[in-house]
């Protein structure tokens, strides 16, 4: 009986210690977190390599949307977008709003997009997302 109580206490303390440990998402770099979010939310339409789908979903490779003002990208994720011309090509698929993502998640995925797919642009801060979300209300 004493051994089973002791085993229960040890097991419970292990569970408590695991709950206190940070999740992988909390310790990831913004780019790694952004890649994970991209793979979950964006990859289907914009493809593994960011090439998009001609006339449906725009590419994320060196476009004026990706490399341009961060505010525009944040707005697209918060509000969605329908029927858009990107660098002379028209894309018809509507992009839904991703406002269900947290400010940090939006910042991370945009930071990933702006730094991958042969892009070389600076990070998107979560504070920018937060301010644009607040202004939207």
């Amino acid at each position: 009986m004493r051994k089973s109580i002791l085993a229960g206490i040890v097991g419970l303390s292990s569970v408590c210690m695991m709950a206190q440990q940070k999740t992988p998402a909390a310790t990831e770099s913004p780019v790694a977190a952004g890649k994970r979010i991209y793979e979950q939310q964006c990859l289907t339409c914009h493809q593994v390599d960011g090439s998009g789908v001609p006339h449906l979903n725009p590419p994320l490779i060196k476009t004026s949307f990706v490399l341009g003002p961060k505010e525009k990208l944040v707005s697209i994720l918060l509000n969605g977008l329908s029927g858009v011309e990107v660098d002379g090509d028209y894309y018809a698929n509507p992009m839904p709003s991703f406002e269900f993502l947290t400010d940090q998640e939006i910042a991370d995925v945009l930071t990933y997009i702006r730094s991958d797919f042969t892009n070389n642009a600076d990070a998107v801060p979560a504070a920018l997302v937060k301010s644009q979300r607040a202004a939207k209300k």
Side-chain angles (χ1 to χ4, degrees):
M1 172 102 168
R2 205 169 180 197
K3 285 184 180 180
S4 62
I5 292 173
L6 183 58
I9 292 171
V10 169
L12 183 59
S13 66
S14 296
V15 169
C16 290
M17 286 176 57
M18 288 185 342
Q20 290 175 352
Q21 291 177 350
K22 293 183 178 177
T23 62
T27 60
E28 294 177 295
S29 73
V31 172
K35 181 178 182 182
R36 180 179 44 76
I37 296 162
Y38 180 87
E39 290 170 349
Q40 294 169 351
Q41 303 293 334
C42 314
L43 182 141
T44 302
C45 294
H46 294 285
Q47 307 304 303
V48 172
D49 62 357
S51 62
V53 178
H55 308 292
L56 294 176
N57 307 310
L60 302 174
I61 303 167
K62 299 210 183 261
T63 68
S64 59
F65 273 53
V66 172
L67 300 177
K70 298 174 208 174
E71 294 81 3
K72 186 173 188 175
L73 279 176
V74 171
S75 178
I76 291 169
L77 264 71
L78 289 175
N79 301 305
L81 188 65
S82 185
V84 64
E85 182 184 328
V86 178
D87 299 336
D89 291 319
Y90 183 78
Y91 299 91
N93 263 2
M95 181 169 156
S97 166
F98 284 86
E99 70 178 344
F100 62 88
L101 294 174
T102 67
D103 296 341
Q104 189 62 57
E105 288 171 329
I106 290 174
D108 289 347
V109 74
L110 292 178
T111 294
Y112 169 69
I113 289 167
R114 287 170 55 88
S115 67
D116 206 289
F117 310 123
T118 70
N119 297 320
N120 189 18
D122 59 342
V124 174
L128 174 63
V129 180
K130 182 178 182 173
S131 68
Q132 281 194 241
R133 189 187 302 265
K136 181 181 168 184
K137 293 182 180 181

